[in-house]
Amino acid sequence: MDLLKTLVDKGLRRELPTRDEALAVLATSDDELLDVVTAAGRVRRQWFGRRVKLNYLVNLKSGLCPEDCSYCSQRLGSKADILKYTWLGPHEAAAAAGAGVAGGAKRVCLVASGRGPTDRDVDRVSKTIAAIKEQNEGVEVCACLGLLSGGQAERLREAGADAYNHNLNTSEATYGEITTTHTYADRVETVQQAQAAGLSACSGLIAGMGESDEDLVDVVFSLRELDPDSVPVNFLIPFEGTPLAKEWNLTPQRCLRILAMVRFVCPDVEVRLAGGREVHLRSMQPLALHLANSVFLGDYLTSEGQAGRADLEMIADAGFEVEDAGERTLPEHRADALAASGGGCGPCGGAGDGGSDAADTDGPAPDAAGEAEVAGGAAAAADPGRARTDLVAVRRRGAGTELPPNA
């Protein structure tokens, strides 16, 4: 396809494709899908080789958020049966983070539900960052605490945070349809505050909320303009008890096209395969590694993910390698630009999990659902776009519980 040749050439030059080219990627047929993955994979390998960066989420404070984000299981008025707890202490959070690092994670993402942190909250998180770094030499720490106010980004940077996550989630034109308690501009401003403080910016999107192709291209082009170091691509987890519980709009093929489009628009950025990958990509997750160079290990904020061991096996079986702690994530030109700004590393997420934005030993669904999984899988083979509620499992282990984490 001339389209794919053009996009590869532009990606290797870090040249922005046109909006029409990005839309054309989303409009490709299933017959063309492997060609699309192959083309975007060339761009991914140019800038990141065959490395996969592992990231680990620690939910510092779960549920009871005053914001009304429609996709979020922790939102105001949510009836989702999730874990609810107040702030973890620094040592409890450090223990959870340590499990992720022991499992191979290079970055720990600290997330807390809420509109944004108070100054006291920043002090609390600063102590947690210190505890994590004291116990895990060389680990990167990303904070995701919601909307920032004056001076908070600088304080997090001084405390040892390397990065800050705040997702744009969807296009500016449709943002008011998913959230009314804050604005798209509020989110952009928080990312810019993080960048100005020398933090590595992490900002991404959620696909599957009923948006159009144009909305997806809009938000990815906005991200390209904002220029974060990492872009998490989340796929909506339609939690029962949330307004978007019936939004089952994604197929594995659709998810791969979205990831490819993001890679073409953001060729040299850390593209992270984030929340919802197990639910929507399912057995096609390994193909996504040809597009994304970063994944979350284990569980998400309020939902269970694939077993950490299975993540590692998937990466190895697909011919990729886990990025070592001493390896640079970003291409040299981006890493140098970040260092010049006073930033730390080269770069967080969970769609439907929510949080400020933002795995078990036998898979994402409970063992007791074994027969239902078999029946559900057979039905999905006949109808890949059907609702897979059998794959949505609320997190009941790890942070905030007495059970060991999935890492």
Side-chain angles (χ1 to χ4, degrees):
M1 294 173 64
D2 289 342
L3 167 68
L4 297 180
K5 183 180 184 306
T6 298
L7 288 170
V8 169
D9 290 344
K10 287 185 174 183
L12 300 183
R13 298 194 303 266
R14 293 186 284 135
E15 182 181 333
L16 182 67
T18 67
R19 284 182 53 86
D20 284 345
E21 288 167 342
L23 286 167
V25 173
L26 297 178
T28 52
S29 69
D30 287 351
D31 288 341
E32 298 166 317
L33 182 59
L34 288 180
D35 293 332
V36 172
V37 172
T38 299
R42 283 192 59 193
V43 178
R44 181 249 201 262
R45 290 191 301 278
Q46 166 71 19
W47 301 112
F48 300 96
R50 303 191 72 84
R51 304 188 313 276
V52 177
K53 180 176 181 176
L54 298 183
N55 308 267
Y56 191 73
L57 287 162
V58 177
N59 196 357
L60 297 178
K61 181 166 73 81
S62 182
L64 307 174
C65 183
E67 302 298 287
D68 68 353
C69 307
S70 300
Y71 53 83
C72 183
S73 61
Q74 304 186 73
R75 73 187 296 273
L76 177 70
S78 171
K79 294 180 172 55
D81 185 25
I82 62 168
L83 290 172
K84 298 181 179 68
Y85 53 85
T86 189
W87 289 93
L88 299 181
H91 295 295
E92 187 178 0
V101 174
K106 181 176 179 178
R107 167 171 291 189
V108 172
C109 303
L110 303 176
V111 187
S113 62
R115 177 178 177 85
T118 64
D119 287 341
R120 182 181 178 187
D121 293 336
V122 172
D123 289 339
R124 192 191 321 260
V125 174
S126 296
K127 293 175 182 176
T128 298
I129 294 170
I132 291 172
K133 294 215 163 190
E134 181 180 357
Q135 297 178 25
N136 302 279
E137 184 178 356
V139 70
E140 299 174 7
V141 175
C142 178
C144 177
L145 311 173
L147 301 172
L148 295 174
S149 54
Q152 290 182 331
E154 287 79 5
R155 289 174 60 196
L156 289 168
R157 179 78 183 101
E158 291 167 4
D162 299 287
Y164 196 84
N165 165 259
H166 203 60
N167 295 332
L168 298 188
N169 290 331
T170 193
S171 69
E172 183 174 13
T174 59
Y175 196 81
E177 297 175 15
I178 64 166
T179 304
T180 65
T181 47
H182 60 268
T183 67
Y184 182 91
D186 291 333
R187 287 187 171 267
V188 171
E189 182 182 359
T190 285
V191 177
Q192 291 172 335
Q193 284 186 47
Q195 290 171 319
L199 291 165
S200 178
C202 173
S203 188
L205 65 143
I206 303 174
M209 296 190 291
E211 70 283 337
S212 66
D213 285 1
E214 287 76 11
D215 289 322
L216 286 170
V217 170
D218 280 350
V219 67
V220 176
F221 270 61
S222 294
L223 288 166
R224 166 78 181 233
E225 182 177 359
L226 195 56
D227 197 29
D229 293 311
S230 58
V231 175
V233 180
N234 297 278
F235 303 108
L236 178 72
I237 303 175
F239 268 93
E240 291 297 328
T242 65
L244 299 185
K246 306 305 179 187
E247 292 288 341
W248 288 88
N249 305 309
L250 298 171
T251 64
Q253 295 84 354
R254 171 75 168 167
C255 294
L256 291 171
R257 291 186 191 97
I258 291 168
L259 287 166
M261 185 268 288
V262 174
R263 175 56 72 197
F264 285 130
V265 177
C266 304
D268 60 340
V269 166
E270 177 191 344
V271 175
R272 185 173 306 149
L273 187 56
R277 63 178 168 95
E278 299 91 342
V279 177
H280 296 292
L281 278 161
R282 302 190 286 275
S283 62
M284 294 178 73
Q285 288 183 74
L287 276 179
L289 296 176
H290 291 270
L291 309 169
N293 64 293
S294 179
V295 301
F296 280 113
L297 176 73
D299 291 343
Y300 302 99
L301 301 177
T302 62
S303 65
E304 292 187 355
Q306 182 167 277
R309 182 183 65 252
D311 286 336
L312 297 176
E313 291 173 351
M314 175 181 72
I315 291 167
D317 289 348
F320 293 88
E321 57 189 30
V322 173
E323 186 172 288
D324 290 336
E327 289 185 278
R328 184 184 67 229
T329 297
L330 293 174
E332 186 174 1
H333 61 274
R334 289 194 71 92
D336 289 347
L338 181 61
S341 72
C345 50
C348 290
D353 284 321
S356 300
D357 243 0
D360 67 5
T361 57
D362 293 303
D367 290 341
E371 292 185 7
E373 287 182 41
V374 173
D383 181 8
R386 69 179 286 271
R388 293 301 306 274
T389 55
D390 57 301
L391 296 181
V392 180
V394 175
R395 181 174 69 83
R396 301 293 186 201
R397 62 195 169 198
T401 77
E402 298 298 321
L403 299 176
N406 169 33

